[in-house]
Amino acid sequence: MSITSLYDLLKLNESYSSDEEYDSSDLLSFSKVKNALAIPSSLFDDREREDSEWLDFGSIVDIMLTAPDKINDKILVLDNNFSDMYLKIINHISNNIYDFDIDSMSDEQLDSLFAASGVKVNWTAATKKKNLKDSGVINYVSKLRDNPGKIVVVPDVYLKALKTAECVRNHRFTSLLFREQPYLRANGIDVLFQYKIRYSLYGLEWKSKIDCIIINHRTKSINLIDFKTGSDYWFSFPNHNFMRYKYYLQAELYTRGFLEFMAQPNIMQHMNDYRVSNFVFVYISRLEPQMPVPFTLSTHTILYSTYKETPTLSGKYLEYVLRPNVSTLSEAIKRYRSSLEDNVSPSSIEPYIFKFIDGFTVSDDGVIGIPISF
């Protein structure tokens, strides 16, 4: 097999041809799963993206790193220095009025708009119309309507994201990922960004979008990489962010999912001695954007380890940690779906997960779960 044929084969067999096709798919994903633990109804929610300034920040950095050619298609930079009153009106229009034309609105409709937005002012209808125009509200709403689906961000946050992405691109720990293709090919490396796959796992249908895949033709290894941003210093990532945001589930789901995807006969027959190796989280702290830190988990650790080393006065011992893994979560989701069909509405999926975990025994080689630390 030539040095580039595996790369070409993966490009040819990507499960989705566009982000739009991927986003419109109703298959399970990590985004839905992680939210479902606390909010089961999110399993049936088409909207996977959570709205918050700092979640948007992470998404913007991700786009700048992995899909810079799509920045204008996915990000809308708008200044929103509006008062709380105008922000309420903007939110109401954006969420409730599909075809908004202020010039065609009657006085009663304007009054209803302000009332429905929770805004009380002693203005005439003419004054309301004039102030909405002069304040920039109408222009702002118009831009939102002209750019559906884009992440809306203020200039200050956009510039911070741009600076953060540049730090990752130029830092010695991570710069290799972003070198020009001829340089990478000369060194036996291919890189794929935002690779979209679908696969079957534990009786459920899944989809995943992998930030970065590195194919090292010299070592015949394949690494999966995911970029994370956060507000904590880098040394907090393994035992704080990793557990709080359930990244242990993401690492296992993406690894198992990619292995299933690669097991397709038309791909597997060309794999030869290539193997899926370590999963890497590249963590970028907003407190230290100049210092991206890669955290590496071996495939064996992701798929089979359940223990951590805990220091004591007499040395170290292995402490078994039972955490939800993809298998237990999948079974819990199936039980939850079945309960809905039986008209039973549990408030959480968690009881199903821990019901399964309680029945587990950990074998000598630790075949259940994932690690609590790196």
Side-chain angles (χ1 to χ4, degrees):
M1 181 167 61
S2 71
I3 194 170
T4 61
S5 60
L6 180 57
Y7 170 86
D8 295 332
L9 187 68
L10 288 177
K11 291 283 287 184
L12 181 65
N13 286 277
E14 189 169 5
S15 301
Y16 298 91
S17 59
S18 67
D19 290 333
E20 291 73 22
E21 184 185 3
Y22 177 89
D23 293 339
S24 65
S25 169
D26 61 358
L27 300 188
L28 289 172
S29 66
F30 172 65
S31 299
K32 286 188 175 183
V33 163
K34 68 174 182 178
N35 295 330
L37 291 172
I39 309 172
S41 61
S42 65
L43 283 174
F44 311 101
D45 191 346
D46 292 335
R47 298 172 299 173
E48 291 190 26
R49 204 175 63 80
E50 303 168 72
D51 292 322
S52 89
E53 180 177 297
W54 291 116
L55 285 172
D56 285 344
F57 178 86
S59 298
I60 293 167
V61 171
D62 203 60
I63 292 168
M64 290 175 171
L65 289 173
T66 63
D69 57 319
K70 298 181 180 178
I71 288 176
N72 292 333
D73 296 331
K74 293 181 173 292
I75 302 171
L76 177 63
V77 183
L78 280 180
D79 209 335
N80 66 348
N81 293 322
F82 297 106
S83 66
D84 289 342
M85 176 188 72
Y86 286 130
L87 287 174
K88 289 179 180 179
I89 296 173
I90 289 171
N91 288 334
H92 178 75
I93 295 173
S94 300
N95 295 327
N96 299 285
I97 305 177
Y98 177 75
D99 189 14
F100 181 73
D101 181 5
I102 193 169
D103 290 321
S104 65
M105 294 181 75
S106 66
D107 292 353
E108 291 76 13
Q109 288 174 324
L110 274 170
D111 291 338
S112 296
L113 169 61
F114 273 69
S117 303
V119 174
K120 295 181 180 180
V121 291
N122 294 319
W123 296 344
T124 65
T127 301
K128 290 176 179 177
K129 183 179 293 188
K130 180 178 184 302
N131 287 347
L132 286 178
K133 289 183 175 181
D134 292 347
S135 65
V137 166
I138 304 305
N139 184 51
Y140 187 89
V141 170
S142 177
K143 288 184 178 179
L144 292 180
R145 289 293 165 84
D146 292 340
N147 295 275
K150 290 187 179 182
I151 301 174
V152 182
V153 62
V154 297
D156 181 55
V157 174
Y158 180 85
L159 291 175
K160 288 179 180 178
L162 189 63
K163 178 181 177 181
T164 299
E166 283 303 308
C167 289
V168 177
R169 285 182 173 278
N170 295 320
H171 196 277
R172 62 188 179 90
F173 288 169
T174 47
S175 60
L176 177 66
L177 300 175
F178 308 102
R179 297 294 295 267
E180 297 294 328
Q181 191 177 62
Y183 174 88
L184 294 173
R185 288 272 173 88
N187 287 275
I189 293 173
D190 275 311
V191 178
L192 291 163
F193 288 111
Q194 294 287 297
Y195 193 74
K196 299 171 284 293
I197 61 174
R198 63 173 295 169
Y199 49 93
S200 298
L201 201 60
Y202 301 120
L204 297 171
E205 296 299 313
W206 300 82
K207 65 176 182 178
S208 295
K209 186 186 293 185
I210 303 168
D211 278 350
C212 180
I213 298 175
I214 299 179
I215 306 170
N216 189 321
H217 299 285
R218 293 181 176 178
T219 62
K220 293 197 171 182
S221 62
I222 301 172
N223 296 99
L224 311 183
I225 295 179
D226 194 83
F227 298 101
K228 298 296 183 189
T229 59
S231 57
D232 297 318
Y233 287 103
W234 66 267
F235 48 79
S236 299
F237 180 81
N239 289 314
H240 181 245
N241 303 64
F242 185 73
M243 300 308 299
R244 178 182 179 185
Y245 299 112
K246 303 176 179 65
Y247 294 153
Y248 53 87
L249 282 175
Q250 182 183 10
E252 186 192 356
L253 179 64
Y254 280 29
T255 300
R256 289 191 187 278
F258 189 72
L259 288 169
E260 287 293 319
F261 174 79
M262 297 292 284
Q264 298 177 81
N266 59 325
I267 298 178
M268 180 56 67
Q269 63 180 326
H270 298 290
M271 281 288 289
N272 294 338
D273 297 326
Y274 283 81
R275 60 186 176 85
V276 178
S277 186
N278 302 329
F279 191 101
V280 181
F281 285 108
V282 176
Y283 180 70
I284 311 114
S285 169
R286 294 194 298 272
L287 301 175
E288 291 182 316
Q290 73 282 1
M291 183 68 176
V293 179
F295 290 91
T296 301
L297 295 88
S298 72
T299 301
H300 185 274
T301 298
I302 292 170
L303 301 183
Y304 302 114
S305 291
T306 61
Y307 59 83
K308 65 175 181 177
E309 289 186 344
T310 303
T312 66
L313 292 177
S314 59
K316 293 183 177 180
Y317 68 95
L318 294 181
E319 175 185 346
Y320 284 93
V321 181
L322 291 178
R323 295 279 180 178
N325 60 8
V326 177
S327 175
T328 59
L329 182 58
S330 297
E331 292 301 320
I333 289 172
K334 286 187 280 188
R335 289 290 184 94
Y336 174 75
R337 285 176 167 174
S338 178
S339 72
L340 293 183
E341 293 174 0
D342 296 335
N343 295 317
V344 178
S345 298
S347 59
S348 172
I349 290 179
E350 292 276 12
Y352 292 107
I353 291 175
F354 289 102
K355 178 180 178 182
F356 281 100
I357 288 180
D358 290 342
F360 283 168
T361 56
V362 180
S363 64
D364 292 339
D365 58 353
V367 296
I368 299 171
I370 47 80
I372 197 172
S373 60
F374 298 88

